[in-house]
Amino acid sequence: PRGASHTAAPARPAAEETVPTSADALVLEQPLLPEYPAAALARGLEGCVLANVHVNTGGEVESVTILAADHPGVFDAAVIEAQKSARYA
C-alpha cells in the first residue's frame, strides 16, 4: 500500500553453506614455490592471482579455480601447478 514501509529480513546462508572460522583455517605444510613463468620474467611482469582451492579432508588439493588475475593467463598455470603439489593440515 501507498506510504507503507517494508523492511527486508536479512539474508540467511543456505543450509549447505558454511562460514569458515579461524578454527577451520588450513595451514600449508610447506611453503609453495611456484615456478615463475619465463615469459613473465622476460617482460618484467609481476602480479597477483586470486584462486579458490578446494582441499579434501586429507589435506590434498582437489581442484583450483582462478577467480581473478592482474594479468589473466600469465601466472594462472604456475599457481595451479604449485597448488597441485600443496598439502594442508
Side-chain angles (χ1 to χ4, degrees), residues 48-77:
C48 293
V49 176
L50 177 63
N52 183 25
V53 181
H54 180 256
V55 179
N56 66 24
T57 57
E60 298 172 331
V61 174
E62 292 283 326
S63 65
V64 181
T65 305
I66 303 300
L67 302 176
D70 289 344
H71 303 284
V74 174
F75 298 102
D76 300 13

Side-chain angles (χ1 to χ4, degrees), residues 35-46 73-75:
E35 187 173 325
Y36 209 91
L41 189 59
R43 292 172 44 201
L45 288 179
E46 295 179 1
V74 174
F75 298 102

Side-chain angles (χ1 to χ4, degrees), residues 27-42:
V27 178
L28 271 171
E29 291 180 354
Q30 293 182 10
L32 286 181
L33 300 172
E35 187 173 325
Y36 209 91
L41 189 59

